[in-house]
Amino acid sequence: VRAQALAGPVRRILDELDTALQPDDFDPQKVSMTLNVAVTDYSLNTVITPLLPRFRELAPELKIACHWLNESTLAEKMERGDLDLALVTPETTPLDLKSRLLFEEHYVWVMRQAHPLAEAAPDVTTFCQAGHAIVSYNGGAFSGITDEKLRELGLSRNVVLSVPGFFVLLDMVRTSDLFAVVPARIARQVPDLKVLPLPVDVPGFAKHLVWHGRTHHSPVHGWIREAFRL
């Protein structure tokens, strides 16, 4: 138990020593390390995927290990050095981590192009008329922020499918008559979808890059964080 308790502080001291020994004018082409990043399926596809060619070109020896984000263990894994970066919303960012805004996102309404209601007026009545699919990362939820906003208007939609990720959700939408509310960056990546503005005011979210203070002054990690700018 004592060894486990000491593991974090010892790892931090070694990381800080390693940072102090790094040259200020390092060559990204010679960076040989594994970068551990916590992601959701959304951030994997909207951040990691478009950035991968940049890393392959500028730092070909860099390996990137993507881990599914677990908000409950994020701070602990950052402290231990098991994770170097995480892609999160500000509401889920532990207070003792460094962070930077990457971008702001908004939601859109999607259906398949040949949906029976594709030519109907894109209003709230049409929106509530068909069944909906929803993402629930923790599993089993059939209500979200969209439903909260509908309830404020005395309305509701019929959520009939709950899945754990956005891309399986969009596969379902493309092959059925279900509607879905999804982030706009995700919708743009999937063909054969009709994308409409939401008929209700649903707040979007921010995507932040977060890291531990021990790597804050590291030239290598600083360069990597700059490369994450979209």
Side-chain angles (χ1 to χ4, degrees), residues 183-195:
R185 288 173 184 250
I186 287 283
R188 290 198 295 264
Q189 295 184 26
V190 180
D192 306 323
L193 289 180
K194 181 168 184 177
V195 181

Side-chain angles (χ1 to χ4, degrees), residues 37-112:
V37 188
V39 298
T40 60
D41 73 323
Y42 168 83
S43 54
L44 181 62
N45 285 278
T46 60
V47 180
I48 301 298
T49 298
L51 286 180
L52 187 57
R54 182 185 303 178
F55 280 116
R56 295 300 303 142
E57 176 185 359
L58 300 178
E61 299 301 314
L62 176 69
K63 296 180 179 180
I64 302 176
C66 295
H67 308 259
W68 290 128
L69 175 67
N70 184 332
E71 296 169 2
S72 65
T73 61
L74 177 59
E76 177 186 350
K77 289 184 176 180
M78 283 277 186
E79 176 66 27
R80 289 203 311 258
D82 295 338
L83 291 172
D84 301 299
L85 297 171
L87 294 159
V88 298
T89 56
E91 297 80 10
T92 60
T93 303
L95 295 177
D96 56 347
L97 295 181
K98 306 287 186 180
S99 70
R100 183 176 70 219
L101 173 68
L102 289 181
F103 56 82
E104 301 276 356
E105 177 65 290
H106 68 281
Y107 289 101
V108 293
W109 163 20
V110 296
M111 68 182 81
R112 67 184 178 95

Side-chain angles (χ1 to χ4, degrees), residues 24 46 111 116 119 126 137 144 146 158 168 192-193 199 212 226:
D24 291 332
T46 60
M111 68 182 81
E119 302 306 319
T126 304
Y137 283 129
T146 301
N158 182 27
V168 66
D192 306 323
L193 289 180
H212 195 277
E226 283 301 307

Side-chain angles (χ1 to χ4, degrees), residues 174-226:
R174 289 173 60 208
T175 57
S176 73
D177 286 339
L178 295 177
F179 290 165
V181 175
V182 300
R185 288 173 184 250
I186 287 283
R188 290 198 295 264
Q189 295 184 26
V190 180
D192 306 323
L193 289 180
K194 181 168 184 177
V195 181
L196 296 167
L198 285 174
V200 291
D201 185 18
V202 177
F205 60 91
K207 185 59 64 175
H208 280 212
L209 181 70
V210 302
W211 62 94
H212 195 277
R214 72 171 179 281
T215 63
H216 187 63
H217 299 291
S218 163
V220 173
H221 284 271
W223 178 86
I224 289 171
R225 292 193 296 270
E226 283 301 307

Side-chain angles (χ1 to χ4, degrees), residues 128-184:
C128 294
Q129 191 170 347
H132 284 248
I134 193 173
V135 167
S136 172
Y137 283 129
N138 296 324
F142 285 87
S143 178
I145 183 64
T146 301
D147 303 281
E148 294 177 16
K149 294 302 177 181
L150 286 171
R151 280 194 292 271
E152 292 175 4
L153 299 172
L155 300 170
S156 65
R157 59 176 179 160
N158 182 27
V159 180
V160 300
L161 176 68
S162 173
V163 296
F166 279 110
F167 278 86
V168 66
L169 173 88
L170 291 178
D171 281 341
M172 299 289 190
V173 170
R174 289 173 60 208
T175 57
S176 73
D177 286 339
L178 295 177
F179 290 165
V181 175
V182 300

